[in-house]
Amino acid sequence: MEELLSPLTRNLRSHGELSAAECARIEEAAARSISTVGERRDIIREGEVPSTIKIVLDGWVARYKQLPDGRRQILSLMIPGDICDANAFILERMDHSLGALTAVQFARIERTEFEALMAGSPAITRALWRSELVTASIQREWTASVGQRQALERIAHLFCEMHTRMKGIGLAPRDTCEFPLTQADIGEATGLTPVHVNRMLQALRKDGLIELRSKRLQVLDIERLRERALFDPSYLHI
Amino acid sequence: MEELLSPLTRNLRSHGELSAAECARIEEAAARSISTVGERRDIIREGEVPSTIKIVLDGWVARYKQLPDGRRQILSLMIPGDICDANAFILERMDHSLGALTAVQFARIERTEFEALMAGSPAITRALWRSELVTASIQREWTASVGQRQALERIAHLFCEMHTRMKGIGLAPRDTCEFPLTQADIGEATGLTPVHVNRMLQALRKDGLIELRSKRLQVLDIERLRERALFDPSYLHI
DNA sequence: CGTACGTTTGACGTCCTTCAAGTTGGGTGG
DNA sequence: CCACCCAACTTGAAGGACGTCAAACGTACG
């Protein structure tokens, strides 16, 4: 029956014990204003002032940043259930952008409503904090990954992480999941050029670790993929 | 008279309007248990269960992570006034380590006390959230930096950031501040080898941008250093 | 059926690493 | 206070991982 839970509830539940009533309150708040954006469109851009927090309900979102000269870095990936920037309005201006990789459906929660949710329930507050702390932990792992891992390890690590997270929300049956990044996107997420990403992917394929075709990823040998990636899932705190 | 404020109050004040009484409550909580660690000693290690949150009062702390094979990445640097991991206990286990770069003095606040502080004052809660959000923003910038900037830009960016932050807490008079990282440390923070760090430092020196000797950094030409670094301070949200 | 975007391939260049050997300088003990 | 010592810094030469450029190929979609 777990499949019937919304990704949001599923995510928050994993971040702390929430009563049915508390889940219902969040779902209700989220259901009040649902938006959609098309593939490859921006949801919000660096420098803008956010008025709502956003929760991904369906599709993949990339958090990214551009250097003054145009180089782009994808900072993290958000999948259904992920809260984009809890309390973003506390900082006034966005220091990064959010772009939809696929067609995306997301909930928008107003500041006042969001604050009421937190004020009304310590359990919800705690779940939101936990979600924020896990996001921070993932960001740290990305810093470490780009700083220390080699190209092949970095790409393998990205696959391990997304596979594990998708599995966590029930979206990776038979170790297969959506993976809507182009090779250029993978490059921007890992700090590599598309050409080099291509060659590393071929190596991973030849080793029988993954398949990646038409935006679907299949992990063929998790154990060996994790080894190649030096992947230790504890940073995901699941 | 600002110089008389403790770094902690100074930091939190920058994250929101706090009344004198609120500042006093925080100072009092922090003053209750003050510890010291020697240079190059760890404060807490990956895998351990934290029982208090830590606030740097004096000295520099590095947050770092090791890959299974020993490669080390410094994830961020903490200076006086910085809260190391607000709500760290929500995640149970540390997913990274904290190491003292210098002799360090820090406050430890118990979980119950920390929660009481937040419960007792919305302004304090907000200031803590803000501080956490800025930390997250800095982490994102580091990911982007390691992913997209060239070696020289990366190192220059690190100098810009630390110079700006030190200035923000009044510890960079005449554009000079403590900078207790060895060249090997700079390498671990930027994902470079010590040898290459050395060569890039020479380039920065030859260009008259900085001086760096015996753990002190002097910024000679901020404008040009910022250009070389592609540094835009807005991510610091000051 | 054509067009556009994503992927693949090859040749070549460069940024950064590796290895190995000095040199400097701050701290300590005699 | 000087001599020693170790860590940190510096230098050079050579190699490798990854980038750049340019072209061809595949494939989804209008």
Side-chain angles (χ1 to χ4, degrees):
Chain A
M1 296 301 111
E2 283 225 344
E3 288 71 22
L4 296 178
L5 290 175
S6 85
L8 173 56
T9 302
R10 200 165 180 138
N11 181 15
L12 286 174
R13 274 251 169 98
S14 82
H15 289 321
E17 293 305 321
L18 294 183
S19 68
E22 283 161 334
C23 289
R25 286 186 54 202
I26 298 174
E27 289 293 343
E28 191 193 344
R32 205 159 301 159
S33 167
I34 292 183
S35 311
T36 3
V37 279
E39 200 180 324
R40 300 281 150 180
R41 295 220 107 65
D42 279 337
I43 294 174
I44 189 169
R45 288 219 183 79
E46 191 171 342
E48 291 179 17
V49 177
S51 61
T52 60
I53 68 150
K54 284 131 197 111
I55 299 173
V56 182
L57 299 178
D58 188 56
W60 285 41
V61 172
R63 193 197 302 274
Y64 70 90
K65 208 162 189 171
Q66 309 225 140
L67 296 195
D69 67 352
R71 280 175 271 177
R72 218 169 85 113
Q73 174 74 35
I74 292 183
L75 299 164
S76 60
L77 297 172
M78 280 154 294
I79 57 177
D82 287 349
I83 299 165
C84 289
D85 279 287
N87 274 320
F89 24 71
I90 289 185
L91 290 183
E92 318 248 308
R93 288 186 181 284
M94 294 294 291
D95 52 61
H96 60 269
S97 308
L98 297 178
L101 292 170
T102 61
V104 165
Q105 191 183 37
F106 63 99
R108 319 159 111 261
I109 300 188
E110 295 293 333
R111 174 180 198 142
T112 51
E113 193 157 14
F114 185 74
E115 283 166 349
L117 271 177
M118 293 188 55
S121 154
I124 290 179
T125 303
R126 192 190 152 83
L128 290 170
W129 262 106
R130 214 188 115 95
S131 145
E132 203 57 17
L133 292 173
V134 170
T135 301
S137 173
I138 293 175
Q139 193 67 57
R140 287 190 292 267
E141 185 68 35
W142 280 48
T143 303
S145 202
V146 179
Q148 298 299 325
R149 274 181 254 261
Q150 313 233 72
L152 192 115
E153 297 165 345
R154 247 180 266 176
I155 295 171
H157 192 271
L158 178 64
F159 289 150
C160 285
E161 174 178 320
M162 295 319 294
H163 169 257
T164 305
R165 288 169 59 195
M166 287 295 272
K167 202 155 189 167
I169 53 174
L171 295 181
R174 276 161 293 115
D175 290 328
T176 303
C177 67
E178 194 184 357
F179 194 88
L181 308 215
T182 64
Q183 294 184 4
D185 294 330
I186 297 176
E188 291 185 340
T190 53
L192 299 166
T193 56
V195 174
H196 201 59
V197 169
N198 182 280
R199 298 198 233 260
M200 296 299 102
L201 286 179
Q202 291 178 47
L204 289 173
R205 281 194 269 247
K206 193 163 59 183
D207 283 11
L209 299 178
I210 58 145
E211 264 179 28
L212 180 62
R213 269 187 39 236
S214 51
K215 319 230 153 175
R216 293 199 67 75
L217 169 70
Q218 174 158 25
V219 176
L220 297 174
D221 190 336
I222 299 193
E223 270 318 308
R224 283 178 50 233
L225 186 65
R226 293 191 165 184
E227 266 173 44
R228 294 297 295 265
L230 301 161
F231 179 77
D232 172 355
S234 48
Y235 75 96
L236 294 171
H237 296 277
I238 36 183
Chain B
M1 294 303 110
E2 284 225 344
E3 290 70 21
L4 295 179
L5 290 176
S6 84
L8 173 56
T9 302
R10 200 165 179 138
N11 181 15
L12 286 175
R13 274 250 169 98
S14 81
H15 288 321
E17 294 305 320
L18 293 183
S19 69
E22 284 162 333
C23 289
R25 287 185 54 201
I26 298 173
E27 289 292 343
E28 192 193 342
R32 206 160 299 159
S33 166
I34 291 183
S35 311
T36 5
V37 278
E39 198 180 324
R40 301 280 151 181
R41 295 219 108 63
D42 280 335
I43 294 173
I44 190 168
R45 288 218 183 80
E46 191 172 342
E48 289 180 17
V49 177
S51 60
T52 60
I53 68 149
K54 284 131 198 113
I55 299 173
V56 182
L57 300 178
D58 188 57
W60 284 39
V61 172
R63 193 197 302 276
Y64 70 90
K65 207 161 189 172
Q66 311 225 140
L67 296 195
D69 67 352
R71 281 174 272 177
R72 219 170 84 115
Q73 174 73 34
I74 292 183
L75 300 164
S76 61
L77 297 172
M78 279 152 295
I79 58 177
D82 287 348
I83 299 166
C84 289
D85 280 288
N87 274 322
F89 24 71
I90 289 186
L91 289 183
E92 319 249 308
R93 291 188 178 282
M94 294 293 290
D95 52 63
H96 60 269
S97 307
L98 298 178
L101 292 170
T102 62
V104 165
Q105 192 182 37
F106 63 98
R108 318 158 111 261
I109 300 188
E110 295 293 332
R111 172 179 200 144
T112 51
E113 193 156 11
F114 185 75
E115 283 166 349
L117 272 175
M118 293 189 52
S121 154
I124 290 179
T125 303
R126 194 189 149 82
L128 290 170
W129 261 105
R130 215 188 114 94
S131 145
E132 203 57 16
L133 292 174
V134 170
T135 301
S137 174
I138 294 176
Q139 193 66 56
R140 286 191 291 268
E141 186 67 35
W142 280 48
T143 303
S145 202
V146 179
Q148 298 299 325
R149 275 181 254 261
Q150 312 231 75
L152 193 113
E153 297 166 346
R154 247 179 266 177
I155 295 171
H157 192 271
L158 178 65
F159 289 150
C160 287
E161 174 178 320
M162 296 319 294
H163 169 258
T164 305
R165 288 170 58 194
M166 288 295 272
K167 203 156 191 169
I169 53 174
L171 294 182
R174 277 161 292 115
D175 290 326
T176 302
C177 68
E178 195 184 358
F179 194 88
L181 307 215
T182 64
Q183 295 184 1
D185 294 331
I186 297 176
E188 291 185 341
T190 53
L192 299 166
T193 57
V195 173
H196 201 58
V197 169
N198 181 281
R199 298 196 234 259
M200 295 300 102
L201 286 179
Q202 291 178 47
L204 289 173
R205 280 193 271 245
K206 194 164 58 185
D207 282 11
L209 299 178
I210 58 145
E211 264 179 26
L212 180 62
R213 268 188 40 237
S214 51
K215 320 233 151 172
R216 293 200 67 73
L217 169 70
Q218 174 158 27
V219 176
L220 298 174
D221 189 336
I222 299 194
E223 270 318 309
R224 283 178 50 234
L225 186 65
R226 293 190 166 186
E227 267 173 44
R228 296 296 298 262
L230 301 162
F231 179 77
D232 172 356
S234 48
Y235 75 96
L236 294 172
H237 295 278
I238 36 183

